[in-house]
Amino acid sequence: FFVVAVQNTLAVMKGSDVDVSLLSNIVYSVTEESSPGTTVGNLAKDLHLDVQETLSSRKARVDFEGTRKRYCDMKLNTGDLVTSEIIDRESLCGKKPSCVLKVDLVLENPLELHHVSLHIQDVNDNSPKFRENLIEIEISESAEKGNRFSIEQAHDADIGQNAVQRYNLQKNDNFILAVNNNKLELVLENKLDREKQKELNLLLTALDGGSPQRSGTVVIHVTVLDANDNAPVFSQAVYKASLPENSPPDTVVIKVSATDADEGVNGDVTYQFGHVPDEDVNVFSIDPKTGEIRVTGVIDFEERSSFEISVQAKDGLGLTSYAKVIIDVTDINDNAPLIYLKSLTNPIPENVSPGTEVGIINVQDEDSENNRQVRCSIQQNVPFKLVPSIKNYYSLVTTGQLDRELVSDYNITITATDKGSPPLSSSKTVQLSVADINDNPPVFEEQSYSAYVTENNKPGSTLCSVSARDPDWRQNGTVIYSLLPGEVNGAPVSSYLSVNGDTGVIHAVRSFDYEQFRSFKVHVMARDNGSPPLSSNVTVSVFISDVNDNSPQILYPGPEGNSFMTELVPKAAHGGSLVSKVIAVDADSGQNAWLSYHIVKSSDTGLFSIGVHSGEIRTQRDISESDSMKQNLIVSVKDNGQPSLSATCSMYLLISDNLAEVPELKDISYDEKNSKLTSYLIIALVSVSTFFLTFIIIILGVRFCRRRKPRLLFDGAVAIPSAYLPPNYADVDGTGTLRSTYNYDAYLTTGSRTSDFKFVTSYNDNTLPTRMRVFTFIKLSLNFINRV
């Protein structure tokens, strides 16, 4: 073998963008008929390639040009080029003096192409062979000494030294053999005498120059005739014709013509083929009379581009002559381009950069010249293109960013069209999948979530469900839910809620109390299982709804077990006068905190009434002298919940206009223990009364003439000390239990620890009569004494 550098030739290739330093032309020789597995040469060594790394990683392979057969292969572990089948030079190249098989060595990443020319050396594997085993020659006895008679030469499929080199004629008395200018002739050395010998059998042997030498024989049967001294003569020694491939049968190729100067039977010329190779026997036929050569078989330019036929002209008495017919087959565009997928990276990651090579395409067309010039194109609207590479190779590269979530698979249709007329084309569809990467975080179906739960719920109850979608694939699209760390009312959020990591269902960990808090927010994270993982958050607002789990609490009057409180009602009170008010609250909200007031028991059922929603106790009629001084009311306060809850209180009313009647209060204490403080209180009251007696007389005298029937007004705002409010009480959305604003002041006696006593007054003093002002002054004094 030898290596021929072709860099200078490739460097001048117009428009070439190929790195010509990567190309070379290697020539090897191999004898035909070599057994399969014969080593032709070591490509790795000759190209200085690393056998262990380069050949396998770069997908080294050999491709054959212009043939469907695969004569050689390459061993990747050694780099040897070995024969894969027996090569017959005669069937591959015929009589061509040089038989070269073109082989391409292809390397990928990057793409390299090395040309290998494989010269097939001839061996002497064919013997010389005559077309017939018996040659019939008729020679007139009048033939002169020195006349020559043409003999068809023997055919040997081998070439060069292995072809026919010489002929031997069996020794005889009449003929010798002459070989001149590739003509084989019998030369008449002594005239024939028909009377002595009518027939002669001559043995002609053809010998080649091979080693070992091979030979072929033929018997020449000479019939001696009377005089026929002119052989047919062709109009041309060589006939040439051009024939398009795929010509239909019976197409006339050419007509040969020969004439004979003799007359009669001696001048009648007939035509027939001389030696014809076995593979061409059924391709053409010749008309014996006219000399027309017609098509009888299939003409395929890709299989055979030319034919050489020997034509014999013979007269009636057996004289012959020969001419050569050369038929050139012209190519027509009858072969569509063939597309071969040599390499493909499948699947490809969706984050590959534009311009990445993902495949290698090889295009071949068996036609010639313009008919084999091929242009390749790719369908539109796909992010791929074909880039011409080396010779008839194309690289399939990306043109844009891929997104598996938009398109996960591509069917890329590659079309190859030749430049023939009309042009032929073929298509090949390449299926390419896009591999997923974790480039999409989970996305919640809603921007925020709201969960509603009633208080006193059971731990473990379901509140709501969050859901996030991840368009990625498999583990990149698997979503896991978790609560983000945080606090609710100073406690970890995990002590209130939990979330199912697989389903996104949120459960309550504990029971909620509406009166402690009404709503709170938590953050749920959705994380995929990719590497690295991606996540997103969503806010979940939890709203706690109220249930009726709190009974009304009565702020005024105070609980019966703690104190005894009495309201003082003037005897002059008219019907509809406000005498007192029951004040209650409910820690619940909404309709659960809507309170209604009812008198369930009364000393005089027709004297007092209570506002259902206000809790105000008013007189239903004017107070008369017959009414008992001591009135006792039991009031029930109910909320509007389902079921309704209630509370009751007792209200003690004293109908009196002057302080002289105050000692009688001890009778309404319901047998409570008397206290020494009562005596002290009476003494204090008498002392204060005396002290201010003069002042009172003056006031009464001034107002006496203007005296009118007093009308008690108890309008004003009620101010409830914060100590009366329950710890969890809160007015909800303006629908709380205190609907009117009244201010009440309590004035207690010195014995109030055991027998409380209350006077009610409003802040609108200008509307009160003088008597009420006196009572107010006295009450202030008593309050002062009590504090002391």
Side-chain angles (χ1 to χ4, degrees):
F1 64 89
F2 60 96
V3 178
V4 179
V6 295
Q7 297 181 356
N8 294 334
T9 303
L10 294 176
V12 299
M13 293 173 64
K14 185 175 182 181
S16 174
D17 57 357
V18 179
D19 185 1
V20 297
S21 64
L22 299 178
L23 304 179
S24 60
N25 189 15
I26 300 177
V27 180
Y28 292 117
S29 295
V30 63
T31 59
E32 68 169 332
E33 305 299 328
S34 297
S35 59
T38 301
T39 300
V40 178
N42 191 294
L43 288 173
K45 179 179 179 182
D46 297 335
L47 294 176
H48 305 289
L49 299 177
D50 191 323
V51 176
Q52 297 298 327
E53 297 180 2
T54 305
L55 297 183
S56 297
S57 62
R58 297 185 65 183
K59 302 179 181 178
R61 60 181 180 275
V62 293
D63 290 337
F64 287 80
E65 179 180 351
T67 178
R68 297 183 179 92
K69 295 184 178 180
R70 189 173 186 85
Y71 296 101
C72 297
D73 212 335
M74 182 179 180
K75 292 184 177 180
L76 296 180
N77 58 341
T78 62
D80 290 332
L81 182 67
V82 298
T83 59
S84 57
E85 62 182 68
I86 295 177
I87 303 175
D88 186 4
R89 192 204 66 80
E90 286 72 31
S91 63
L92 188 63
C93 300
K95 297 292 288 184
K96 292 182 181 179
S98 176
C99 185
V100 179
L101 189 61
K102 298 293 184 181
V103 184
D104 289 337
L105 172 61
V106 181
L107 299 173
E108 297 183 13
N109 299 317
L111 180 64
E112 291 184 20
L113 183 65
H114 299 275
H115 298 293
V116 179
S117 297
L118 190 61
H119 286 259
I120 311 302
Q121 303 297 325
D122 184 51
V123 297
N124 192 27
D125 58 338
N126 292 281
S127 299
K129 183 179 180 182
F130 291 90
R131 182 173 65 87
E132 299 175 339
N133 294 326
L134 179 64
I135 298 176
E136 294 281 350
I137 299 178
E138 296 178 343
I139 302 175
S140 174
E141 63 179 350
S142 62
E144 296 293 333
K145 182 179 178 181
N147 283 356
R148 294 173 178 267
F149 304 93
S150 297
I151 303 296
E152 183 179 3
Q153 293 185 6
H155 174 75
D156 194 332
D158 298 322
I159 62 171
Q161 190 68 24
N162 295 327
V164 176
Q165 298 296 317
R166 60 191 180 91
Y167 294 88
N168 287 334
L169 182 65
Q170 182 183 9
K171 189 175 181 179
N172 62 87
D173 297 329
N174 299 99
F175 296 93
I176 61 174
L177 190 65
V179 182
N180 293 313
N181 298 326
N182 293 326
K183 288 185 178 181
L184 181 62
E185 296 175 321
L186 284 178
V187 180
L188 185 60
E189 189 176 37
N190 295 309
K191 293 192 65 174
L192 298 173
D193 187 356
R194 181 179 175 279
E195 286 69 30
K196 291 183 178 181
Q197 192 174 12
K198 295 181 180 180
E199 298 178 346
L200 289 85
N201 288 320
L202 305 176
L203 182 64
L204 177 62
T205 302
L207 301 170
D208 63 21
S211 178
Q213 191 176 54
R214 294 175 178 268
S215 63
T217 60
V218 65
V219 175
I220 302 175
H221 179 74
V222 180
T223 302
V224 182
L225 302 175
D226 287 336
N228 180 25
D229 55 353
N230 290 290
V233 178
F234 280 97
S235 60
Q236 297 176 221
V238 178
Y239 291 87
K240 292 185 177 181
S242 180
L243 178 67
E245 66 171 325
N246 299 334
S247 296
D250 208 34
T251 299
V252 176
V253 181
I254 197 172
K255 182 178 180 180
V256 297
S257 177
T259 60
D260 194 310
D262 295 327
E263 295 181 351
V265 177
N266 295 331
D268 291 337
V269 178
T270 58
Y271 303 94
Q272 64 180 14
F273 286 135
H275 173 75
V276 179
D278 294 340
E279 59 270 19
D280 298 338
V281 170
N282 298 320
V283 178
F284 301 100
S285 65
I286 188 169
D287 190 306
K289 297 296 184 183
T290 64
E292 286 184 344
I293 299 176
R294 295 176 180 269
V295 175
T296 58
V298 178
I299 307 298
D300 188 356
F301 175 85
E302 287 70 43
E303 294 291 339
R304 190 81 175 269
S305 61
S306 65
F307 295 88
E308 186 175 314
I309 303 174
S310 175
V311 179
Q312 179 192 70
K314 183 179 180 181
D315 63 18
L317 294 181
L319 295 180
T320 60
S321 62
Y322 294 89
K324 184 183 294 185
V325 178
I326 298 175
I327 302 173
D328 292 325
V329 180
T330 59
D331 181 47
I332 64 173
N333 193 28
D334 61 339
N335 290 282
L338 299 178
I339 302 174
Y340 298 97
L341 181 61
K342 295 298 184 180
S343 177
L344 182 65
T345 302
N346 193 17
I348 56 175
E350 61 178 321
N351 63 339
V352 295
S353 57
T356 301
E357 181 182 88
V358 298
I360 296 176
I361 306 297
N362 178 248
V363 182
Q364 297 183 6
D365 194 314
E366 295 181 352
D367 295 319
S368 64
E369 298 181 354
N370 285 340
N371 293 333
R372 72 177 302 170
Q373 299 300 315
V374 179
R375 59 180 181 273
C376 285
S377 61
I378 199 170
Q379 69 182 36
Q380 301 298 322
N381 302 323
V382 293
F384 299 93
K385 69 176 181 179
L386 288 176
V387 178
S389 186
I390 302 173
K391 198 178 178 181
N392 51 353
Y393 284 86
Y394 294 83
S395 294
L396 180 64
V397 300
T398 59
T399 59
Q401 192 66 47
L402 304 180
D403 190 347
R404 190 204 67 84
E405 287 69 44
L406 295 178
V407 181
S408 60
D409 295 282
Y410 290 94
N411 289 326
I412 305 171
T413 300
I414 300 172
T415 302
T417 305
D418 61 30
K419 294 184 179 181
S421 180
L424 298 179
S425 63
S426 61
S427 299
K428 186 178 185 66
T429 299
V430 178
Q431 294 182 342
L432 196 61
S433 298
V434 181
D436 182 54
I437 64 169
N438 192 28
D439 59 345
N440 289 281
V443 177
F444 284 94
E445 294 181 351
E446 299 181 19
Q447 294 183 351
S448 62
Y449 290 85
S450 297
Y452 299 88
V453 59
T454 59
E455 64 174 329
N456 303 327
N457 58 292
K458 292 183 178 179
S461 59
T462 299
L463 300 186
C464 69
S465 176
V466 297
S467 179
R469 296 289 181 266
D470 194 320
D472 292 323
W473 194 46
R474 289 187 176 174
Q475 67 178 14
N476 293 334
T478 302
V479 179
I480 300 174
Y481 303 93
S482 62
L483 288 174
L484 290 179
E487 291 187 351
V488 176
N489 286 351
V493 67
S494 58
S495 64
Y496 289 89
L497 300 177
S498 67
V499 62
N500 189 303
D502 297 326
T503 64
V505 176
I506 298 177
H507 300 275
V509 175
R510 62 164 65 173
S511 178
F512 300 119
D513 187 355
Y514 176 84
E515 286 69 43
Q516 289 184 355
F517 54 88
R518 304 180 187 181
S519 65
F520 61 92
K521 294 182 179 180
V522 297
H523 299 283
V524 177
M525 179 180 68
R527 175 181 58 83
D528 60 30
N529 212 20
S531 179
L534 301 178
S535 63
S536 60
N537 302 334
V538 72
T539 300
V540 178
S541 299
V542 180
F543 297 95
I544 303 169
S545 58
D546 183 49
V547 297
N548 193 30
D549 60 344
N550 289 281
S551 299
Q553 294 189 26
I554 299 175
L555 303 181
Y556 181 83
E560 187 174 339
N562 296 334
S563 63
F564 170 67
M565 301 184 68
T566 303
E567 295 285 358
L568 186 63
V569 180
K571 292 181 179 181
H574 289 209
S577 298
L578 175 65
V579 298
S580 186
K581 178 179 175 69
V582 177
I583 302 174
V585 295
D586 195 312
D588 296 320
S589 66
Q591 67 178 7
N592 294 330
W594 296 350
L595 303 181
S596 60
Y597 301 84
H598 309 276
I599 296 177
V600 297
K601 186 177 181 180
S602 175
S603 301
D604 189 343
T605 57
L607 182 57
F608 298 100
S609 65
I610 190 169
V612 175
H613 301 295
S614 65
E616 294 177 348
I617 300 176
R618 295 178 181 271
T619 58
Q620 296 190 73
R621 56 179 174 80
D622 293 346
I623 296 177
S624 65
E625 295 296 334
S626 61
D627 291 329
S628 174
M629 178 182 293
K630 295 175 291 184
Q631 297 290 331
N632 181 23
L633 302 179
I634 298 179
V635 179
S636 173
V637 183
K638 295 183 179 180
D639 60 26
N640 200 36
Q642 293 295 330
S644 177
L645 301 178
S646 65
T648 60
C649 68
S650 296
M651 177 69 70
Y652 304 103
L653 303 177
L654 178 64
I655 301 175
S656 177
D657 282 338
N658 55 67
L659 294 177
E661 300 172 353
V662 171
E664 299 179 7
L665 291 175
K666 61 183 179 180
D667 296 331
I668 63 173
S669 62
Y670 295 98
D671 299 328
E672 295 181 1
K673 293 182 179 180
N674 294 325
S675 175
K676 293 181 180 180
L677 292 177
T678 303
S679 301
Y680 299 147
L681 177 61
I682 294 174
I683 296 173
L685 287 174
V686 173
S687 300
V688 172
S689 299
T690 304
F691 181 77
F692 293 103
L693 182 58
T694 305
F695 177 76
I696 294 173
I697 293 173
I698 295 172
I699 295 300
L700 290 176
V702 173
R703 296 293 183 179
F704 179 78
C705 59
R706 300 171 58 185
R707 183 176 181 182
R708 59 186 175 87
K709 193 171 185 178
R711 182 177 183 87
L712 299 180
L713 299 176
F714 292 92
D715 300 328
V718 177
I720 306 300
S722 60
Y724 280 98
L725 297 175
N728 296 330
Y729 170 76
D731 193 14
V732 181
D733 300 330
T735 60
T737 57
L738 298 180
R739 301 181 179 275
S740 301
T741 56
Y742 289 90
N743 285 332
Y744 288 84
D745 290 332
Y747 305 98
L748 306 179
T749 65
T750 55
S752 61
R753 288 183 177 87
T754 58
S755 179
D756 289 348
F757 167 69
K758 178 174 177 64
F759 297 92
V760 180
T761 181
S762 72
Y763 289 126
N764 194 1
D765 291 337
N766 292 330
T767 61
L768 294 178
T770 304
R771 184 179 298 177
M772 294 305 299
R773 294 183 181 180
V774 174
F775 284 141
T776 301
F777 185 80
I778 295 173
K779 285 186 284 184
L780 291 173
S781 300
L782 294 176
N783 187 33
F784 174 78
I785 295 171
N786 183 51
R787 292 178 182 273
V788 173

